Amino acid sequence: MRTLARRLLLPGLTSLALAATGCASTTHAGATTETAAPTAIASEADGSRQLDVAAAPVNSPTPTAVARAGTGGGKGAPKASSLKVASYDRTTGRAVISRPPQPIKPSPGSSASSSPAPDKPVAVGDVIASAPAPGAPDGLLAKVTEVGAKTPLGTEVQTASTTLSSVLDDDKADGKIPVDPAAVTVEPLMKGVTLSWAKSQGVRFGPEGAKLPLGNLRLDVNAPVETAPGAPVSADASVSGFVQLAPTVEFSYDGSGGSGPRSAFLGMSGDWSSQWRLKGHAAASTGAPKRIPFAKLHGAPVLQVGPVPVVVTLDLTCYIQVEADGRVTLDVRQDVKGDFRVGGSYALGKGWNPVSASHVRSTPVKAEVTANGRVKGALGAEAAVGLYGAVGVSADFAPYLRGEADVKASASTDGKASVNGAWALYGGFDLSGQLQLKLSLFGTPAFERRIPLGALNREWPLTSGKIGR
């Protein structure tokens, strides 16, 4: 393990480390030296390193990290490398590792020390952590089990899955990184869906981009909902509105125990706002509530954890859900604003535990309810968060609006008729999810079944009224 070596060398290296802080030079394109990343790394009293967590640069290649196999069977500290994953086959585990062009040999009489030493080729036992690459759109974390032949693209290697602790070992890291909305891909699942976003640098996109706070992403939708049979044309059911969010990735790791992580966290948090309208005479639901997905979003933000690129994968499916008895007609608009946080937290001796929280409030903009019955509509999102494409946490966040009416009509023999009743609207949200088996990718003990986040429900009255005539 690296801890013992650090403890022996720490006193003699402390002054050198302090003197070198901020003096690391940026590696030039085409350089082939295997150097530590220019990320700030602080040594702790226990010999572990505190690694900075930052978003990987967008406009420059993210260096691959390689933890070399040690002579004693342990791992060396991971270092940024000019080696690249040229291709990868997830089915077979076969990869091709390329090296950049080697530097020109020094001419006689020139100093050999002026030319950087080339990267060593990968060897059996090395662990590779890579940003997204050909064949590995969600990045790659793998251990080299066999080195094969050289090809025009590079060296063929056979790999096997490994854990994050094999590269972070006894280091520590903790950070929250906002997701770049421009790096999120959106797949509309129906007509009438538009995308807008505003980057932190002030770049804006889409019809609503000029109105958005920086770092926010917005989806607008206008979709028909199945109308109850026999309802007039004027009562056609529909849902329209928008979902706006600013997601943040949360990551922490503490391997100071030296034999796997003492603690870890992976999750997603952020602000949420939406304004939507549910209108018409929705058809009766049979069985489960009717869920209509309208867009899929995917992102793979790369966190630079010291020299190690950690790829966090995010998938969201935005949906409309309507549950009705087919008798009530309504026209309701509401604003929803708040925040959410979901994830998994690990502690040595306690295992993985779910984390789920949300603070959401809604305000009715317009509310009209007629007839007798009930209806519930939600504009929500299913989210999945993982490492290197392996889902670790899944969650379902659904702010909703629920309406109910109880109207009674009566008539007497003298020809007089009356209608009396009451109606009410409620706002709320449902938050549920699971911790998935792939969280063991951190290097923690595997668990045998999914762990529920625990259903979280909040509901509050919005407005009510009476009918009498």
mmCIF file of all heavy atoms in Angstrom, residues 93 98 155 436 459:
data_model
loop_
_atom_site.group_PDB
_atom_site.id
_atom_site.type_symbol
_atom_site.label_atom_id
_atom_site.label_comp_id
_atom_site.label_asym_id
_atom_site.label_seq_id
_atom_site.Cartn_x
_atom_site.Cartn_y
_atom_site.Cartn_z
ATOM 1 N N GLY A 93 -14.114 -7.021 -23.222
ATOM 2 C CA GLY A 93 -13.120 -6.410 -22.348
ATOM 3 C C GLY A 93 -11.816 -6.080 -23.068
ATOM 4 O O GLY A 93 -10.845 -5.677 -22.442
ATOM 5 N N SER A 98 -3.194 3.435 -26.985
ATOM 6 C CA SER A 98 -2.285 4.103 -27.913
ATOM 7 C C SER A 98 -1.330 5.019 -27.155
ATOM 8 O O SER A 98 -1.626 5.501 -26.059
ATOM 9 C CB SER A 98 -3.083 4.909 -28.948
ATOM 10 O OG SER A 98 -3.772 5.966 -28.309
ATOM 11 N N THR A 155 -1.466 -0.809 -28.653
ATOM 12 C CA THR A 155 -1.251 -2.130 -28.079
ATOM 13 C C THR A 155 -2.567 -2.723 -27.611
ATOM 14 O O THR A 155 -3.320 -2.080 -26.867
ATOM 15 C CB THR A 155 -0.283 -2.057 -26.888
ATOM 16 O OG1 THR A 155 0.957 -1.478 -27.326
ATOM 17 C CG2 THR A 155 -0.012 -3.440 -26.317
ATOM 18 N N GLN A 436 -28.583 0.906 -6.040
ATOM 19 C CA GLN A 436 -28.362 -0.248 -6.903
ATOM 20 C C GLN A 436 -27.081 -0.993 -6.519
ATOM 21 O O GLN A 436 -26.197 -0.460 -5.839
ATOM 22 C CB GLN A 436 -28.276 0.204 -8.363
ATOM 23 C CG GLN A 436 -29.464 1.025 -8.831
ATOM 24 C CD GLN A 436 -30.725 0.199 -8.990
ATOM 25 O OE1 GLN A 436 -30.662 -1.012 -9.124
ATOM 26 N NE2 GLN A 436 -31.885 0.843 -8.985
ATOM 27 N N GLU A 459 -47.745 16.679 1.024
ATOM 28 C CA GLU A 459 -48.921 17.242 0.358
ATOM 29 C C GLU A 459 -49.453 18.395 1.194
ATOM 30 O O GLU A 459 -49.376 18.373 2.426
ATOM 31 C CB GLU A 459 -50.005 16.184 0.173
ATOM 32 C CG GLU A 459 -51.198 16.690 -0.637
ATOM 33 C CD GLU A 459 -52.207 15.596 -0.934
ATOM 34 O OE1 GLU A 459 -52.017 14.876 -1.929
ATOM 35 O OE2 GLU A 459 -53.189 15.487 -0.168
#
